[in-house]
Amino acid sequence: MLRAVSPNCLKCPTFIAGKCPGTAKRLVATEASPVARKDKQEGDISSVFSTFSGRKSPPLPERFRDLKRNLTTGFEEQIQKSWDDLVEVLKIRTEEVATKREAIIPQLKFSNIQAGDVSPADIAAIRNTGVAVIRGVVDKEVTEDLLRDARRYLTSRPFKGFPSTADQKIIYESYWSPSQVKARSHPNMLATQSWMNQLYSADTDQKIDLSVPLAYCDRVQIRPPGDKHFGLPPHVDGGGVERWEDRAYNHTYRKIFEGKWREYDPWDLTGRLEAEMNMYNGPGGCSVFRSFQSWLGLSRHGPQQGTLVVHPILQPTTAYWMLRPFFKPTRKDSLDGWKFSLDDDEGNVYLHGANPGTMQEHTPIHHPHLRLTETMIPYPTVEPGDTVFWSADTIHGTEMENTGDIDACVFYIPSVPLTPNNAQYVAQQREAFLKGTPPPDFPGGLGESEFSDRATIADIQLEAGKVAMGLSPIKLAGKDENSKQLEQEVNHIMGFSS
């Protein structure tokens, strides 16, 4: 078995710079846990959206009709009754969101999380909406310094990103600026992710520790005033057709397909940890389980200033868009009287916004009962150092324009709990970090490998940050036998001896 990295190595300048001759040998997974990387084509964030790329959505192959039939055979009557009930519930919930707007989004203080003083009502609100704002995670002055240094790093050379043809980018294909690495490994950020992850529940036989966050390295957004390019349509991350096609993934939604949507628990991890979310190797497909997508706010911005928008209705909305491919209207332009069907009036098969190789998108035409034009709600104004979170199945997008007078700036820092599959990814990502190339899930190329001022191990804050990046062994001491086995398996994957 491979030996753990020596503490002396972490102090060595050649190791920190990723140039140590022995680095590759020490920091790879064992032969028993292959993590071979298949580089993706170069590109940008627009690749994962049909609406951005201009691709049409043709009918799906005939095998998807069989898939839909297999998922629902024997439950057709129950599903029809469930749908009718669901539509009535959505009438109430969407009206509530349209009326309350951003006031419905839960807001917590990091200091309360740190003190263990979060009310049950706040926890219930997050579980109900799927979203949250956590105030004051990183000190404002620290955050402003991170943004200043990131701007210097990004503007000191040509950077790829979106839009690809513009001189000024909005989403930078940057993963390894010192500021990003410092932010991901900030102890308060890791503590917040740990707390948020534990809103989920797992069976005792599932290989996961929700208290230990791993790093999933993502991009930078600097959206200037007046920008109209980066208006992301409503969508969910974590795959498209995979939610129906992959057996483990569709098992997550088994209660919905049995006509029992009220029994569906979006915080139950059954099926999610084994799910294949990137069956078609999409250019922006995510191959890990992200409990939450999230970002650290770097500038003050809010409604009408190019911020994130979300549909803060989690359980019934998820049931709705998972069932939508099985229903069609019986009367034109009516929200009532929809009937169970495996295809449309022309006999074509769709999953309504889900296509192989892209993520699930939502539109008022395909998903009229969600009232998306009224219920995609902007987050409240954030200050530098605040974070926002949205769950694995939350519909989200961005405002169509930044009408403010300053840049809307964020570091994307998703929440990724400790699992063997996530550890496999981090082992590959660690190699990319040391080389300066893009992380495995993102468009490939040389990335920042030729930048002498990119981040090094010295920019990672504290031991917990090194653990999150796969640069130190996992330690789950004092826990039960399942945790001990998980610790051993993950460290084996990471290439550390026990």
Side-chain angles (χ1 to χ4, degrees):
M1 186 176 293
L2 299 180
R3 300 172 71 95
V5 180
S6 164
N8 292 329
C9 289
L10 295 177
K11 301 175 184 178
C12 173
T14 56
F15 179 85
I16 290 172
K19 299 177 180 178
C20 173
T23 296
K25 216 168 185 181
R26 295 188 192 94
L27 293 178
V28 295
T30 65
E31 290 79 0
S33 301
V35 291
R37 171 177 176 173
K38 182 179 179 181
D39 286 341
K40 297 187 178 182
Q41 294 182 347
E42 296 186 49
D44 58 58
I45 197 171
S46 66
S47 306
V48 301
F49 294 97
S50 297
T51 52
F52 265 9
S53 62
R55 290 189 294 271
K56 300 281 187 180
S57 297
L60 293 171
E62 190 64 21
R63 61 187 173 86
F64 283 93
R65 188 193 308 274
D66 296 332
L67 169 67
K68 292 169 70 174
R69 181 180 295 109
N70 291 337
L71 285 173
T72 56
T73 294
F75 295 100
E76 295 89 345
E77 184 177 345
Q78 295 97 311
I79 291 172
Q80 179 69 63
K81 292 179 180 178
S82 180
W83 171 271
D84 293 339
D85 173 51
L86 179 59
V87 166
E88 292 303 312
V89 170
L90 283 173
K91 289 178 182 178
I92 298 170
R93 294 291 297 278
T94 54
E95 181 61 29
E96 178 188 18
V97 171
T99 301
K100 293 183 177 180
R101 303 289 294 172
E102 56 262 34
I104 204 169
I105 295 176
Q107 302 182 50
L108 287 72
K109 295 179 180 178
F110 173 72
S111 58
N112 291 123
I113 292 176
Q114 196 173 33
D117 186 27
V118 179
S119 72
D122 283 332
I123 293 174
I126 296 174
R127 287 194 167 122
N128 196 36
T129 61
V131 300
V133 177
I134 313 297
R135 303 286 188 185
V137 173
V138 180
D139 289 344
K140 182 177 181 180
E141 295 75 14
V142 172
T143 308
E144 290 173 339
D145 287 345
L146 292 174
L147 176 58
R148 183 194 65 243
D149 293 344
R151 286 184 185 275
R152 186 182 302 120
Y153 179 85
L154 294 170
T155 57
S156 62
R157 77 268 294 169
F159 242 104
K160 293 181 180 179
F162 176 84
S164 59
T165 57
D167 293 333
Q168 184 176 15
K169 305 301 179 188
I170 299 166
I171 302 297
Y172 289 81
E173 293 297 317
S174 172
Y175 309 91
W176 309 126
S177 72
S179 290
Q180 287 168 278
V181 171
K182 290 175 182 176
R184 292 179 196 125
S185 60
H186 193 285
N188 292 2
M189 192 73 209
L190 294 172
T192 303
Q193 291 175 327
S194 175
W195 187 85
M196 293 292 295
N197 286 344
Q198 293 176 75
L199 293 172
Y200 285 85
S201 62
D203 292 337
T204 55
D205 61 346
Q206 288 187 284
K207 296 180 179 180
I208 187 170
D209 191 309
L210 291 164
S211 68
V212 179
L214 297 178
Y216 186 83
C217 303
D218 208 327
R219 303 174 172 104
V220 180
Q221 171 193 302
I222 299 180
R223 190 176 188 186
D227 172 66
K228 297 181 181 179
H229 293 286
F230 193 58
L232 293 183
H235 66 281
V236 292
D237 300 321
V241 298
E242 288 87 351
R243 280 183 168 84
W244 293 268
E245 189 172 10
D246 180 70
R247 289 187 177 182
Y249 216 164
N250 67 47
H251 185 67
T252 300
Y253 308 100
R254 65 199 180 284
K255 291 295 184 181
I256 297 173
F257 296 130
E258 293 173 357
K260 303 174 183 177
W261 77 264
R262 289 179 180 268
E263 296 180 26
Y264 164 65
D265 180 2
W267 304 99
D268 177 1
L269 291 178
T270 303
R272 286 192 189 270
L273 304 188
E274 299 77 30
E276 172 56 76
M277 295 171 285
N278 190 22
M279 296 174 68
Y280 298 89
N281 196 34
C286 180
S287 58
V288 305
F289 167 60
R290 291 183 298 189
S291 53
F292 291 90
Q293 177 62 291
S294 47
W295 48 247
L296 171 67
L298 305 174
S299 64
R300 189 178 196 273
H301 63 284
Q304 301 181 10
Q305 296 174 329
T307 194
L308 182 79
V309 293
V310 292
H311 179 80
I313 308 173
L314 184 57
Q315 184 216 26
T317 285
T318 304
Y320 173 82
W321 55 262
M322 289 300 298
L323 286 178
R324 172 63 182 89
F326 301 91
F327 285 86
K328 63 183 179 183
T330 57
R331 300 191 299 273
K332 186 177 180 181
D333 299 326
S334 174
L335 297 183
D336 298 316
W338 288 46
K339 296 300 180 184
F340 183 90
S341 177
L342 298 178
D343 52 28
D344 64 10
D345 290 336
E346 286 74 43
N348 294 318
V349 179
Y350 291 96
L351 290 176
H352 299 88
N355 299 286
T358 62
M359 61 182 58
Q360 168 74 45
E361 297 186 51
H362 303 83
T363 66
I365 293 176
H366 285 327
H367 304 93
H369 299 84
L370 298 183
R371 297 172 58 184
L372 293 173
T373 56
E374 302 164 89
T375 59
M376 293 300 295
I377 307 301
Y379 268 84
T381 298
V382 296
E383 301 289 343
D386 294 342
T387 57
V388 304
F389 290 80
W390 59 102
S391 77
D393 285 341
T394 295
I395 300 175
H396 61 283
T398 58
E399 292 182 312
M400 298 306 295
E401 182 179 2
N402 178 2
T403 62
D405 55 7
I406 62 172
D407 296 340
C409 306
V410 307
F411 287 156
Y412 290 98
I413 309 178
S415 294
V416 176
L418 177 66
T419 72
N421 182 63
N422 289 353
Q424 291 273 7
Y425 180 86
V426 169
Q428 298 177 65
Q429 180 182 259
R430 175 182 62 193
E431 180 182 357
F433 166 60
L434 294 172
K435 292 180 178 179
T437 54
D441 275 348
F442 295 87
L446 291 174
E448 296 150 84
S449 60
E450 298 178 347
F451 301 165
S452 61
D453 57 343
R454 73 175 190 268
T456 68
I457 293 172
D459 294 302
I460 299 175
Q461 302 194 52
L462 304 179
E463 182 66 12
K466 294 184 175 70
V467 169
M469 283 291 292
L471 289 159
S472 287
I474 300 291
K475 295 180 181 179
L476 303 177
K479 299 196 175 182
D480 59 23
E481 189 60 33
N482 287 343
S483 293
K484 292 177 182 177
Q485 292 177 4
L486 176 61
E487 175 186 301
Q488 184 177 17
E489 181 175 356
V490 168
N491 284 330
H492 180 72
I493 290 169
M494 294 286 193
F496 297 113
S497 60
S498 58

